[in-house]
Amino acid sequence: KAGVTQTPRYLIKTRGQQVTLSCSPISGHRSVSWYQQTPGQGLQFLFEYFSETQRNKGNFPGRFSGRQFSNSRSEMNVSTLELGDSALYLCASSRNNEQFFGPGTRLTVL
Amino acid sequence: GIQVEQSPPDLILQEGANSTLRCNFSDSVNNLQWFHQNPWGQLINLFYIPSGTKQNGRLSATTVATERYSLLYISSSQTTDSGVYFCAVSDTGGFKTIFGAGTRLFVKA
C-alpha cells in the first residue's frame, strides 16, 4: 500500500507570494492533518480534515487555510508569505487514530 | 490545552547502551504515538500506544494513561537509532494532536 505523498518536496518563494501544498493520503484513510515544523517552535498542529470538513484548527493566522476533496486528498494554502513561514510542512493521514506521515514539503521564503 | 513534556531533551549514548525516554502529558488523551524523525525529516511510526505495553525488536514502549506518562525503551542502541524521538498525543476529542519538543539522541560508534 502506498504511503502518504506530498508535493512539491521543496519550494522557494518570496515574501508576499502565496503557496499551495498538496497531500495524498493512504488509500482508505479519510482523516488528513497538517503540521508546521520549525527549529524554534517545533511541530505545531495546523488543521485536521475528515470527509471534506475541518474538525479542528491550530493557533495560526487566517493566512493559513486548507481544504479536503471528496477523494480525501488535501491542500493547504498560505497567502502573503512571511519570512517566518519558512518551515517543513508535514501532512499525516489516519483511519483508526494512528497517524502516518508523508515526507514533507520544505518551504523557504526569501 | 494539553501540555506534553519530553525528557531528556538531549541524550548521547555509546553504541550498545540502553536508554529510556519519557513523555508526560497534562490531561486525559485519546491517542499516543511515538515517532522517530530521521535526518531527512521523515517521521517514522514506532508505536501507537494509548495504554499498555508493546515491543518491536529492540524497542518497547509503555503508557500508563492513569498516571499520564509514557516511556520508550531503546536497548542495545545502534548508530542508526540517532535522530529525534517525538511523543504525540491527541485530546479526548481526538481531532487535534500535540507534539512534545522531542528527545535528540546521538549514538556514538
Side-chain angles (χ1 to χ4, degrees):
Chain A
K1 187 181 274 191
V4 179
T5 58
Q6 292 186 244
T7 57
R9 294 291 313 279
Y10 302 91
L11 204 50
I12 299 175
K13 292 285 189 178
T14 56
R15 280 179 298 176
Q17 287 187 309
Q18 66 125 24
V19 67
T20 299
L21 311 181
S22 180
C23 172
S24 292
I26 293 170
S27 177
H29 288 195
R30 295 168 64 187
S31 170
V32 173
S33 299
W34 288 90
Y35 300 84
Q36 181 196 65
Q37 186 176 26
T38 59
Q41 299 297 318
L43 271 154
Q44 292 189 288
F45 172 81
L46 279 158
F47 22 67
E48 188 264 357
Y49 287 89
F50 181 87
S51 291
E52 303 179 66
T53 299
Q54 185 183 92
R55 295 195 295 188
N56 212 330
K57 188 177 182 347
N59 296 325
F60 280 84
R63 301 184 298 107
F64 291 81
S65 63
R67 60 178 175 168
Q68 187 180 33
F69 302 95
S70 58
N71 62 357
S72 295
R73 191 177 69 85
S74 178
E75 289 181 346
M76 67 162 283
N77 183 277
V78 188
S79 62
T80 319
L81 284 165
E82 300 177 0
L83 294 179
D85 297 333
S86 294
L88 178 67
Y89 290 88
L90 291 160
C91 161
S93 75
S94 66
R95 183 163 62 179
N96 295 320
N97 298 319
E98 183 175 4
Q99 294 191 63
F100 296 86
F101 281 81
T105 294
R106 193 166 295 278
L107 171 65
T108 301
V109 182
L110 302 176
Chain B
I2 296 176
Q3 307 294 315
V4 181
E5 292 184 0
Q6 290 188 242
S7 58
D10 298 281
L11 189 57
I12 300 174
L13 297 176
Q14 194 66 43
E15 196 170 31
N18 303 328
S19 62
T20 301
L21 282 57
R22 187 176 180 101
C23 172
N24 291 334
F25 42 97
S26 61
D27 207 342
S28 299
V29 298
N30 258 357
N31 311 309
L32 189 145
Q33 287 187 252
W34 283 97
F35 297 93
H36 175 214
Q37 188 168 41
N38 66 22
W40 297 271
Q42 176 77 53
L43 280 167
I44 299 162
N45 288 41
L46 296 177
F47 294 101
Y48 171 74
I49 187 165
S51 64
T53 297
K54 291 186 178 179
Q55 179 154 9
N56 184 4
R58 297 181 296 104
L59 273 59
S60 63
T62 295
T63 297
V64 184
T66 53
E67 297 187 21
R68 299 180 183 167
Y69 73 88
S70 183
L71 302 173
L72 177 68
Y73 305 96
I74 304 174
S75 64
S76 305
S77 57
Q78 301 175 357
T79 56
T80 51
D81 294 332
S82 296
V84 184
Y85 289 79
F86 288 102
C87 165
V89 304
S90 297
D91 61 15
T92 49
F95 308 144
K96 181 174 183 177
T97 300
I98 307 300
F99 276 78
T103 291
R104 187 174 300 274
L105 172 65
F106 180 67
V107 181
K108 299 187 294 184

